[in-house]
Structures are given as structure tokens and as C-alpha cells.
Amino acid sequence: MEINDWSLGYTSAYFDLSSPGILFQWQKLNAHGGITRLKPQKKGRPCVTNHSSTPKPSADMSEKELREELDYLRAENAVLKKLEALAQARKKKAKTKR
């Protein structure tokens, strides 16, 4: 573009780009960071890694960890039972309304 002394509009038309704004952004990125800034960057939030996805074998856990896991599993079970009871109550209520 600079070598041939072409405008942004002419260059974007020559290379069949959708708008000259793309070239302007590329020029700006190249001026500020060089050719490495023109490489695609990852967008969005970083992936969250769940380190506890593979549970520890119970033989390797301390008594405190085992009790904490037991409490967690009991709470989870209670929540699931409540959810099931609510779903059944809704279904029963809907059935009696008809």
C-alpha cells in the first residue's frame, strides 16, 4: 500500500476486503506492536479448570477430609430430594387443576 502509494479504499477494493476500516486497524496494530500484533488473539473469558474433577481415593484422605466430603454429599442428596419433591408437588398440583 505504501510502496504503490495506494489509498485505503483502493487497497481494500483490490484485495476484496469488506471495508477500508480493516486496513486501518491492521496499520494501527502493526505500528504499535509489529507483525506479532496482527496474529489472532484469543477473545473472551479464560477457561476455568476444575482441579477437583478427579476425586482422591478415600484411602489417601484424612479423617477430616472424609467427614467434609460426607457432609457435602449429604447436603447434595438433601437438595436433590427437595428438588424431586418440588417437581412431584408441581405435577400433582397441575394434575388436580384440570
Side-chain angles (χ1 to χ4, degrees):
M1 190 171 98
E2 293 173 5
I3 296 170
N4 295 333
D5 200 30
W6 290 350
S7 68
L8 287 173
Y10 183 79
T11 307
S12 64
Y14 182 81
F15 289 107
D16 197 28
L17 300 174
S18 60
S19 73
I22 295 172
L23 284 175
F24 180 73
Q25 291 296 324
W26 288 349
Q27 276 185 325
K28 197 163 64 168
L29 287 173
N30 192 25
H32 289 289
I35 195 77
T36 58
R37 286 291 303 263
L38 294 175
K39 292 182 181 175
Q41 303 288 325
K42 286 189 175 182
K43 293 183 180 180
R45 297 178 129 182
C47 295
V48 177
T49 57
N50 190 359
H51 297 290
S52 64
S53 63
T54 56
K56 249 195 212 177
S58 58
D60 296 341
M61 297 174 111
S62 68
E63 185 178 342
K64 183 181 178 190
E65 289 175 322
L66 287 170
R67 288 193 186 280
E68 287 174 357
E69 184 178 5
L70 180 63
D71 290 339
Y72 175 81
L73 291 173
R74 283 181 176 164
E76 184 180 20
N77 195 15
V79 167
L80 291 174
K81 282 183 181 179
K82 280 259 196 203
L83 184 63
E84 181 67 27
L86 285 172
Q88 285 181 357
R90 280 188 179 170
K91 192 183 280 187
K92 186 177 179 182
K93 189 176 181 180
K95 205 175 201 181
T96 57
K97 272 190 171 181
R98 290 182 184 180

